[in-house]
Amino acid sequence: MTDLLSAAVAALQAKLDGGAFDGSAKFVIAGKGALMLDAAGVRASDEAAEVTLTADAGTFQDLLGGRLSPASAFLSGRLKIDGDMGTAMRLGSVLA
């Protein structure tokens, strides 16, 4: 697992603050790998999910760092979403 994926796993776990996510989401970081977020927690994995979010490493770091909102990233084309939009919307509160 790359340093970027390890840091992203830790950051997403911290954002969950001991809670669980009601659904499954995959974050694909272009050229780096994928993360899964579901009721079991966060891990580096490339499994099937209800929603897949794809972005480059810089966009993903900006999302996790709170420097970019998921809505702004999506509307500007920096974040691609494929799958269940309801799950994506719930995920937005985790990233906020």
Side-chain angles (χ1 to χ4, degrees):
M1 181 168 23
T2 68
D3 290 342
L4 174 68
L5 290 180
S6 296
V9 166
L12 280 171
Q13 285 175 331
K15 287 186 175 283
L16 284 174
D17 194 29
F21 180 66
D22 179 27
S24 63
K26 177 171 44 175
F27 293 93
V28 176
I29 305 169
K32 303 295 182 184
L35 304 174
M36 282 297 298
L37 173 62
D38 58 21
V42 184
R43 63 196 170 281
S45 180
D46 191 7
E47 304 166 34
E50 293 172 66
V51 65
T52 300
L53 298 95
T54 304
D56 63 28
T59 298
F60 190 68
Q61 289 173 324
D62 287 347
L63 287 168
L64 287 179
R67 295 177 296 277
L68 179 65
S69 75
S72 293
F74 177 71
L75 292 173
S76 67
R78 293 177 61 188
L79 177 67
K80 307 285 188 246
I81 300 174
D82 183 33
D84 184 59
M85 288 304 286
T87 302
M89 297 298 287
R90 290 195 316 275
L91 185 59
S93 65
V94 172
L95 294 175

